[in-house]
Amino acid sequence: MVDSIEKIVSLAKRRGFVFLSSEIYGGFGSCYDFGPLGVELKNNIKKSWWQEMVRQRGDIVGLDSAILMSSKIWQASGHLTAGFADELVECKKCHKRFRSDEISRSKAKNQKSRCPECGGVLTKPKKFNLMMKTYVGPLEDEASITYLRAETCQGIYVNFKNVLQTMRLKIPFGIAQIGKAFRNEITPGNFIYRTREFEQMEMQWFCAPKDANKFFNYWKKERLDWYLSLGIEKKHLRFREVKKSELPHYAKRAVDIEYKFPFGSPRSGAGWKEIEGIHNRGDWDLSNHSKHSGEDLKYEGYFPYIIETSAGVDRTLFAFLCSAFTEVKGGRTKTTKSVKEVETVLKLHKRLAPIKVAILPLVKNNPEIVKKAKEVYDILKPHFMCQYDEVGSIGRRYRRADEVGVPFAITVDFDSLKKNDVTIRDRDTMKQKRVKIKDLILCLRKQL
Ligand code: GAP
């Protein structure tokens, strides 16, 4: 587990996980780009979620709805009118901005309503709607205004009838979707924790109102178990019941899954921050869309209740990076010169690791070894995300692979030329074993 956010930011930049968006122009609006390793990690997280939530179940189907939708949807959902706005206060002295709910929580602790940074006097709260406005078509007039979606689930609700009819489903069932969402956050920050463009993995579970509580508890447990199954320690995860006064405008009940990040928050105490929300949305969405669209979205005469699980891809990726980050004092590879030197190992779950196998010729000045190593690379490439690396000493290459969480490093050496075998080194145990090249795919597949 990492002890400071800076270590993750530095690793993420240095090793191609996350870059600042528009970096050569000085960055842009708290947006981030995912580099070659970041995109692999992100895809693996989404694949694991989809596998768990759709593929392994018979009662949840997928959807990929458009980001741009009729602005009437956002009117009906309450995002333009009701509570989808943050209250902002500004310090009159240092001009830092804060969400007033964060200030009021810290105020409860400190018994004063002053700037948490410099103690200055704060302005009166002002409401800011978080929807990102845009125009569709050539005219920038009222009629062409729409919004980038602020949550992916609205695309699910407006397709409720389409999916129900085409898939001949019966309640209870779920619809799952992964995709981008946008919010004009007034206080983005903490690296990729709060950004203006992010990705969500959302599942909407439609059920009879009488079963809503039962399914709420069921989904709470299922979702927590998913994080545990991918290697996050139990002590770094917790549920937080959202207070009635803080509930989103659509929710009857909400429980956040929080992860203990290495940065504090006046909102929910040191380090604990939301990575996923479980919401009982009641019949808010289907009844409002029925009313506004004129389409009857009832099922057997009633509006189903919706239990929603809503996770952020970027936040969970951040949590996985934090929990996998391990420092070994004195080092593990022979490259470490001093006992004070620290080597980094990213102990990502094997399913999440962006690169599964590193292929390393023992020396790069022996053409036969290099040729054999490239053969091994060609054999494994179609099956696993592989990386061929011949630069630097073998110890340095192990170290480079450990730092980005490669679970297996394969070394091709002089014996490989005679016996057609290689050594496989396990990232976590550092144990090495010899395996015949012809058995490699099966052997790796078993372990991955
Ligand atoms: N459909 C319900 C919904 O959107 P939410 O609690 O507002 O609920 C769900 O968001 C999840 O989306 C959060 O737990 C978080 O992981 C992610 N998320 C929300 N706003 C975000 C932001 N500005 N940056 C990154 N992730 C965000």
Side-chain angles (χ1 to χ4, degrees):
M1 162 85 180
V2 74
D3 53 15
S4 87
I5 183 175
E6 285 74 26
K7 287 181 181 170
I8 295 290
V9 177
S10 155
L11 177 79
K13 168 86 203 288
R14 196 159 33 83
R15 299 303 310 270
F17 283 91
V18 183
F19 307 128
L20 196 59
S21 162
S22 319
E23 192 176 350
I24 59 168
Y25 289 97
F28 180 72
S30 276
C31 294
Y32 288 88
D33 298 337
F34 288 82
L37 298 199
V39 66
E40 292 293 334
L41 175 55
K42 222 179 177 197
N43 284 343
N44 292 342
I45 292 171
K46 291 191 273 184
K47 211 165 111 190
S48 288
W49 186 87
W50 197 261
Q51 188 73 15
E52 172 95 4
M53 301 296 280
V54 181
R55 300 284 288 277
Q56 283 177 15
R57 303 186 62 106
D59 51 7
I60 301 183
V61 293
L63 184 78
D64 184 15
S65 67
I67 289 175
L68 293 174
M69 299 187 284
S70 165
S71 62
K72 290 177 188 159
I73 288 176
W74 302 109
Q75 204 73 50
S77 70
H79 282 77
L80 296 179
T81 45
F84 199 63
D86 276 349
E87 274 193 356
L88 173 84
V89 289
E90 190 174 325
C91 172
K92 288 183 182 169
K93 196 165 147 204
C94 71
H95 300 289
K96 278 230 163 105
R97 291 169 174 183
F98 306 92
R99 300 213 319 251
S100 28
D101 60 340
E102 295 202 332
I103 296 290
S104 52
R105 283 209 215 174
S106 60
K107 184 185 146 194
K109 279 182 196 149
N110 306 331
Q111 289 309 310
K112 56 182 175 198
S113 183
R114 295 225 160 215
C115 172
E117 298 282 327
C118 74
V121 176
L122 298 170
T123 59
K124 283 218 170 78
K126 211 171 145 192
K127 283 255 183 206
F128 271 85
N129 189 277
L130 302 181
M131 297 297 293
M132 287 257 195
K133 199 183 270 182
T134 188
Y135 297 92
V136 174
L139 296 177
E140 294 194 0
D141 58 11
E142 279 292 313
S144 58
I145 288 178
T146 194
Y147 302 86
L148 303 186
R149 68 181 176 199
E151 52 175 9
T152 63
C153 56
Q154 293 301 329
I156 294 182
Y157 307 142
V158 297
N159 276 295
F160 172 69
K161 216 168 172 181
N162 283 338
V163 176
L164 188 72
Q165 284 170 354
T166 52
M167 304 309 287
R168 294 191 288 137
L169 294 161
K170 287 213 160 24
I171 270 170
F173 71 89
I175 306 178
Q177 168 158 239
I178 299 177
K180 291 264 185 178
F182 304 82
R183 294 182 192 175
N184 208 357
E185 297 282 359
I186 51 179
T187 55
N190 285 325
F191 191 40
I192 54 172
Y193 181 80
R194 190 181 303 284
T195 54
R196 296 198 170 100
E197 173 179 339
F198 54 96
E199 240 177 318
Q200 290 186 315
M201 305 181 282
E202 296 200 306
M203 191 283 298
Q204 312 299 311
W205 181 256
F206 300 89
C207 63
K210 68 172 174 41
D211 295 331
N213 282 341
K214 177 182 82 184
F215 284 123
F216 190 92
N217 291 330
Y218 169 79
W219 281 112
K220 253 176 74 181
K221 181 174 179 327
E222 285 291 298
R223 294 304 307 139
L224 190 80
D225 287 350
W226 183 73
Y227 295 99
L228 295 171
S229 76
L230 290 172
I232 297 194
E233 280 187 83
K234 205 168 182 180
K235 65 177 183 203
H236 295 142
L237 289 166
R238 73 174 189 191
F239 290 123
R240 186 179 77 90
E241 182 83 39
V242 177
K243 284 192 210 133
K244 279 254 171 317
S245 59
E246 292 170 10
L247 282 177
H249 64 275
Y250 50 74
K252 285 183 175 305
R253 185 184 169 198
V255 165
D256 290 342
I257 297 179
E258 293 190 331
Y259 174 74
K260 199 169 196 314
F261 281 100
F263 47 88
S265 147
R267 200 178 155 85
S268 53
W272 289 106
K273 287 176 112 12
E274 172 192 347
I275 52 173
E276 172 159 354
I278 319 289
H279 307 133
N280 177 351
R281 299 180 71 125
D283 63 3
W284 168 270
D285 301 279
L286 290 183
S287 65
N288 274 313
H289 285 307
S290 273
K291 199 159 75 192
H292 283 75
S293 68
E295 192 77 35
D296 182 6
L297 299 179
K298 289 200 194 83
Y299 171 92
E300 292 182 354
Y302 68 91
F303 287 116
Y305 269 28
I306 292 167
I307 304 301
E308 163 182 66
T309 68
S310 175
V313 179
D314 315 70
R315 278 191 198 175
T316 54
L317 182 144
F318 194 7
F320 283 126
L321 280 181
C322 289
S323 91
F325 190 96
T326 313
E327 288 180 314
V328 184
K329 263 215 177 112
R332 323 195 303 159
T333 62
K334 288 182 183 138
T335 58
T336 303
K337 302 267 181 325
S338 117
V339 283
K340 283 193 194 136
E341 205 179 320
V342 168
E343 282 186 24
T344 302
V345 186
L346 204 57
K347 293 194 172 177
L348 283 169
H349 191 284
K350 287 170 188 158
R351 234 184 301 155
L352 299 183
I355 297 166
K356 309 291 186 207
V357 190
I359 293 128
L360 321 168
L362 182 68
V363 286
K364 73 165 181 181
N365 52 9
N366 181 311
E368 278 185 89
I369 288 185
V370 167
K371 185 165 169 260
K372 185 65 103 198
K374 286 191 173 159
E375 273 170 32
V376 172
Y377 178 48
D378 286 338
I379 291 171
L380 297 182
K381 222 169 26 174
H383 303 273
F384 312 101
M385 185 69 198
C386 296
Q387 189 174 56
Y388 176 84
D389 185 4
E390 58 174 31
V391 180
S393 72
I394 193 76
R396 287 224 161 270
R397 283 179 277 157
Y398 280 148
R399 190 165 166 175
R400 264 205 300 272
D402 286 347
E403 199 184 34
V404 295
V406 181
F408 298 107
I410 288 180
T411 307
V412 177
D413 55 19
F414 292 96
D415 273 356
S416 308
L417 302 177
K418 285 182 256 158
K419 297 184 187 155
N420 261 320
D421 63 4
V422 294
T423 48
I424 302 187
R425 170 188 179 269
D426 182 292
R427 175 195 71 198
D428 299 333
T429 62
M430 295 211 305
K431 286 207 173 110
Q432 304 198 1
K433 64 174 178 188
R434 287 205 84 87
V435 176
K436 291 280 178 210
I437 293 174
K438 68 175 174 47
D439 299 331
L440 263 180
I441 294 173
L442 203 64
C443 169
L444 287 166
R445 185 151 286 153
K446 267 191 199 152
Q447 296 183 73
L448 284 164

